Amino acid sequence: LPNELRRDYILDRYAIIASARMRRPTDFSIPPKVETGEKCPFCVGNEKATPPADLLLIRSDNGITYSKDSEGERTSNWLVRCFPNLYPATEPSAEAPPPSEPLRPLRVAYGYHEIIVESPNHQEHPGQARVEQLQLSLEATLILMRRFVGDVRIRYVQLFRNHRKEAGASLSHTHSQIIALDSIPRNISEELEGFKKHRKTEGDCPYCEIIERERDSPREVFENEDFFVLAPWASISPFELWILPKRHEADILKITRTDVTALAKTLRSTLGAISKLLGDMPYNYGFHTSPKGLDSTDYHWHLEIYPKLSIWAGFELSTGVYINVTPPEVAARSLRESVKDEWSSLC
Amino acid sequence: LPNELRRDYILDRYAIIASARMRRPTDFSIPPKVETGEKCPFCVGNEKATPPADLLLIRSDNGITYSKDSEGERTSNWLVRCFPNLYPATEPSAEAPPPSEPLRPLRVAYGYHEIIVESPNHQEHPGQARVEQLQLSLEATLILMRRFVGDVRIRYVQLFRNHRKEAGASLSHTHSQIIALDSIPRNISEELEGFKKHRKTEGDCPYCEIIERERDSPREVFENEDFFVLAPWASISPFELWILPKRHEADILKITRTDVTALAKTLRSTLGAISKLLGDMPYNYGFHTSPKGLDSTDYHWHLEIYPKLSIWAGFELSTGVYINVTPPEVAARSLRESVKDEWSSLC
């Protein structure tokens, strides 16, 4: 097979799908995780090692209660615990940096940087979590995202997750993070631009069209009533996966409670199937959602999963073109049955 | 210090310089390299393990001779040895892939993918190479780049180098690679666009202006008669470094023989100083040069060095905004004296 140079559905971004140097699922050797046994600051009982929680989900007689720590105190009977990152990338401080100079544009890194401890159980990662627990952590995420969007200066809120040290997680206790920004970040800008261009020429939401066109294609991984999972056409790394809501909606904050449950189950099935296939794979994922104030017709929120199975090296860094040694068709084929099985076991 | 959101000199690309979570040079722990002792296909005597060389630099009575292997034979007395990658990302094949479908643009990955074995000595990496040897490998690189540019279909030729496994090198024998493409890659397109925009508003080559404005700034690392080394303003990773030629020239292929020597010495001093400071750091580097057919006024070639000291995780992958925990000013300060010393020792 000749290597293919594939362009993304809507971005001006290219991947070389290198069949000539193909790596199959069995070619990836993922080293087993080494637990350090150090005292974990995210585990129950060690809450003093972190800032006071600004959101706690706690089980009560009436269901789930929302709460927070007071300054000197720490609550320990939480199900999900959220607090500002001790070493934040962005902060809501008013302190201004020195003024920009020519060629050296600068402003303060304004925003919020939050940690979401997704479970009291150290190892309850999304690929093996109880669905109710995953649902709770998604709910906490949405509450925080709404809170940050409430700041008039905030334009975009990024939820992301780093799984394992190799993918940038400095602690192994299951957690995700939010960084809120006062501008629309580059990748989302580019998606919005590609979206607009596509709608202008084709008249439709490109993501809705991706679902239609990739349904029953060799890149489809899984579909249920609410979500569509695929290995995208121009995947920039092996086993890249997208989870798309089938009902068009720009903003994840408009998601219904039923859809949160379906998202939790879809995510659990997808990540569960990957770990059955490849072991405990290092990965990152992130929500891509509408910046504040956009119309519902201007975007289509989704979740992108970026496995850390290959290294972007000198060629990728210099050119912005990605060599991917596992065609998305191979990734999709090797996951299809397994995601279905995982899903069935949850229903 | 507040974290700063810095925009690149000319790209619409942002880095959060996170002083709040600053990592100093001594905070980086680079694991020592483990040599596997496996038979190295790039070492002298093992040439049969690779395709025939299409460029050999050999010492003769009259200086350096250029040669190549014939199909069944292999030459062993080479100083630099170049051959097509056994698992190429791009190939000069004429075979066409299936036609593009809507939303799924596609063409064949046309081009050349070449390995340059930079020395017969397994470990003679640029940070510790003899200057004459480094000069020879740069000369071989330029000969190949010129050869690929000669193909009418080729638009851009990318030289890059991956140092150590952590930075994507699958073999530890000192080598670099070339991938020639039939289109201008994304990052270079963006630089050309930023270049054009800057020239339109400021009237000048932005890279010439960077040299002027960063001279004696806290980001200057080193300057000699021909080159300027700096830690760029919006560095997207710790210890990112650029080497800029002081004489304006768009196309590295127009470099003079004297400048090749100066480049070899500058590269040797810069990488030598880094390894004195941080140990044998994994890194990538790449030339950024003019696509074929551009005017000399339209670009300014340079070399970008990307150390692999941090992991781009969920935030970077989702947003395209980079968190950098080592301000370029800290990187520059810690290297300045050492690069000067290395340079002096070569002169």
Side-chain angles (χ1 to χ4, degrees):
Chain A
L1 275 177
N3 289 348
E4 297 180 358
L5 184 69
R6 295 190 184 177
R7 186 181 180 276
D8 179 71
Y9 299 112
I10 60 167
L11 298 175
D12 195 29
R13 189 180 70 185
Y14 291 81
I16 294 174
I17 305 296
S19 304
R21 54 201 303 180
M22 163 125 60
R23 291 186 69 190
R24 290 180 178 74
T26 46
D27 297 332
F28 293 105
S29 66
I30 296 174
K33 172 146 47 188
V34 181
E35 282 293 327
T36 59
E38 276 170 42
K39 191 175 152 164
C40 170
F42 292 177
C43 271
V44 172
N46 303 336
E47 291 83 3
K48 281 274 182 193
T50 63
D54 51 16
L55 177 65
L56 292 164
L57 270 57
I58 295 172
R59 191 180 309 285
S60 73
D61 293 343
N62 309 321
I64 301 299
T65 322
Y66 305 106
S67 171
K68 57 181 187 169
D69 287 330
S70 51
E71 183 56 42
E73 299 297 314
R74 298 291 189 276
T75 308
S76 276
N77 62 335
W78 48 272
L79 295 177
V80 179
R81 184 168 187 271
C82 313
F83 47 86
N85 194 313
L86 253 179
Y87 306 100
T90 55
E91 279 184 290
S93 78
E95 196 185 350
S100 289
E101 291 164 3
L103 265 180
R104 298 194 287 254
L106 165 70
R107 61 178 202 275
V108 72
Y110 182 88
Y112 301 87
H113 189 169
E114 189 90 1
I115 302 285
I116 298 142
V117 180
E118 297 161 326
S119 166
N121 305 323
H122 192 91
Q123 291 286 12
E124 194 170 8
H125 295 281
Q128 62 207 67
R130 293 160 295 149
V131 170
E132 322 82 75
Q133 183 64 38
L134 190 46
Q135 199 176 326
L136 288 181
S137 77
L138 287 171
E139 269 171 27
T141 299
L142 294 166
I143 291 171
L144 289 169
M145 288 177 77
R146 281 192 192 99
R147 188 185 288 176
F148 299 142
V149 159
D151 178 335
V152 288
R153 288 181 66 175
I154 292 303
R155 295 293 307 280
Y156 193 78
V157 183
Q158 181 64 56
L159 176 282
F160 62 98
R161 187 174 203 284
N162 304 332
H163 186 68
R164 296 190 55 158
K165 212 184 187 72
E166 299 88 336
S170 47
L171 290 167
S172 61
H173 192 117
T174 187
H175 71 287
S176 50
Q177 299 181 61
I178 290 176
I179 292 182
L181 299 166
D182 65 355
S183 56
I184 302 175
R186 177 182 169 88
N187 288 0
I188 302 298
S189 287
E190 287 179 4
E191 285 183 7
L192 291 172
E193 205 176 299
F195 189 105
K196 200 192 266 179
K197 210 183 237 173
H198 180 90
R199 224 184 36 176
K200 205 169 171 182
T201 56
E202 310 296 325
D204 224 349
C205 163
Y207 294 94
C208 289
E209 198 181 326
I210 289 168
I211 295 171
E212 289 317 310
R213 291 200 185 271
E214 295 295 32
R215 181 170 283 138
D216 300 325
S217 84
R219 286 163 298 280
E220 173 177 341
V221 173
F222 180 65
E223 177 169 12
N224 56 41
E225 215 174 300
D226 306 294
F227 290 94
F228 187 82
V229 184
L230 83 160
W233 169 245
S235 294
I236 59 176
S237 57
F239 285 87
E240 180 181 347
L241 295 171
W242 293 359
I243 298 180
L244 300 168
K246 287 162 69 175
R247 203 155 24 76
H248 177 88
E249 182 55 70
D251 188 349
I252 194 180
L253 296 183
K254 301 247 173 79
I255 194 173
T256 62
R257 187 166 282 255
T258 330
D259 274 1
V260 171
T261 310
L263 177 59
K265 282 164 75 176
T266 309
L267 190 55
R268 166 72 175 73
S269 309
T270 306
L271 293 172
I274 291 184
S275 71
K276 290 243 163 83
L277 180 68
L278 294 175
D280 190 21
M281 176 184 77
Y283 66 80
N284 308 104
Y285 71 59
F287 288 154
H288 287 219
T289 185
S290 168
K292 207 161 76 178
L294 246 69
D295 278 347
S296 168
T297 49
D298 291 343
Y299 194 63
H300 188 127
W301 80 264
H302 58 283
L303 179 75
E304 297 195 2
I305 303 171
Y306 315 105
K308 206 76 158 192
L309 293 171
S310 60
I311 293 167
W312 289 336
F315 178 69
E316 285 82 358
L317 296 172
S318 298
T319 61
V321 175
Y322 299 89
I323 300 171
N324 177 2
V325 292
T326 305
E329 294 77 10
V330 172
R333 190 175 59 223
S334 64
L335 284 171
R336 209 168 287 138
E337 284 311 308
S338 179
V339 178
K340 205 176 293 174
D341 291 349
E342 292 284 312
W343 175 265
S344 307
S345 76
L346 300 176
C347 295
Chain B
L1 274 177
N3 288 348
E4 296 180 358
L5 184 70
R6 296 189 184 178
R7 187 182 179 274
D8 179 71
Y9 299 113
I10 61 167
L11 297 174
D12 195 29
R13 189 179 69 186
Y14 291 81
I16 294 175
I17 305 296
S19 303
R21 55 202 303 180
M22 162 126 62
R23 291 185 69 190
R24 291 181 177 74
T26 47
D27 297 332
F28 293 104
S29 67
I30 296 174
K33 172 145 47 188
V34 182
E35 281 294 327
T36 58
E38 276 169 41
K39 192 175 152 163
C40 169
F42 292 178
C43 270
V44 171
N46 303 336
E47 290 83 2
K48 281 273 184 194
T50 63
D54 50 16
L55 178 64
L56 292 164
L57 270 58
I58 295 172
R59 192 180 307 287
S60 74
D61 293 344
N62 310 319
I64 301 297
T65 322
Y66 305 106
S67 171
K68 57 180 187 171
D69 286 331
S70 52
E71 184 56 42
E73 299 296 315
R74 298 291 190 276
T75 309
S76 276
N77 62 336
W78 48 271
L79 296 177
V80 179
R81 184 167 187 271
C82 312
F83 48 86
N85 193 314
L86 252 179
Y87 305 100
T90 55
E91 279 184 291
S93 79
E95 196 185 348
S100 288
E101 291 164 3
L103 265 182
R104 299 194 286 253
L106 164 71
R107 60 179 203 275
V108 72
Y110 183 88
Y112 301 88
H113 189 169
E114 188 90 2
I115 301 284
I116 299 142
V117 180
E118 298 161 327
S119 166
N121 305 323
H122 191 91
Q123 290 286 11
E124 194 172 7
H125 295 280
Q128 62 208 65
R130 294 159 295 149
V131 170
E132 322 81 76
Q133 183 64 38
L134 190 47
Q135 198 177 327
L136 288 181
S137 77
L138 287 171
E139 269 171 28
T141 300
L142 294 167
I143 290 170
L144 289 169
M145 288 177 77
R146 282 193 191 96
R147 189 185 288 175
F148 299 142
V149 159
D151 178 336
V152 288
R153 288 180 65 175
I154 293 302
R155 294 294 309 280
Y156 193 78
V157 182
Q158 182 64 56
L159 175 283
F160 62 98
R161 186 173 205 284
N162 304 332
H163 186 66
R164 295 189 55 158
K165 212 185 187 73
E166 299 88 336
S170 46
L171 291 167
S172 61
H173 193 117
T174 187
H175 71 287
S176 49
Q177 300 181 61
I178 290 175
I179 292 181
L181 300 166
D182 64 356
S183 56
I184 302 176
R186 177 181 169 88
N187 287 0
I188 302 298
S189 287
E190 286 179 4
E191 285 182 7
L192 291 172
E193 206 176 298
F195 189 105
K196 200 191 264 179
K197 210 182 238 176
H198 180 91
R199 224 184 38 177
K200 205 167 172 185
T201 56
E202 310 296 325
D204 224 349
C205 163
Y207 293 94
C208 290
E209 199 181 325
I210 289 168
I211 295 172
E212 290 316 310
R213 291 200 185 270
E214 296 294 34
R215 180 171 283 137
D216 300 326
S217 84
R219 286 163 297 280
E220 174 178 339
V221 173
F222 180 64
E223 176 170 12
N224 57 42
E225 215 173 300
D226 306 294
F227 290 94
F228 187 82
V229 184
L230 83 161
W233 169 247
S235 294
I236 59 175
S237 57
F239 286 86
E240 180 180 348
L241 294 172
W242 293 0
I243 299 179
L244 301 167
K246 287 162 68 174
R247 202 155 25 76
H248 177 88
E249 182 54 72
D251 187 350
I252 195 181
L253 297 183
K254 301 247 173 79
I255 194 173
T256 63
R257 188 166 281 256
T258 330
D259 275 1
V260 171
T261 311
L263 177 60
K265 282 163 75 177
T266 307
L267 191 54
R268 166 72 175 73
S269 309
T270 305
L271 293 172
I274 291 183
S275 70
K276 290 241 161 84
L277 180 68
L278 294 175
D280 190 21
M281 177 184 76
Y283 65 81
N284 308 104
Y285 70 59
F287 289 154
H288 287 219
T289 185
S290 168
K292 207 162 75 177
L294 246 67
D295 278 347
S296 169
T297 48
D298 292 342
Y299 194 63
H300 188 127
W301 79 265
H302 57 282
L303 179 75
E304 297 195 2
I305 303 171
Y306 316 105
K308 207 75 159 192
L309 293 171
S310 60
I311 294 167
W312 289 335
F315 178 69
E316 284 82 359
L317 296 172
S318 297
T319 61
V321 177
Y322 299 88
I323 300 171
N324 177 2
V325 292
T326 305
E329 294 78 10
V330 172
R333 190 175 59 222
S334 64
L335 284 172
R336 211 169 285 138
E337 284 312 307
S338 179
V339 178
K340 206 177 290 173
D341 290 349
E342 292 284 311
W343 175 264
S344 307
S345 76
L346 301 176
C347 295

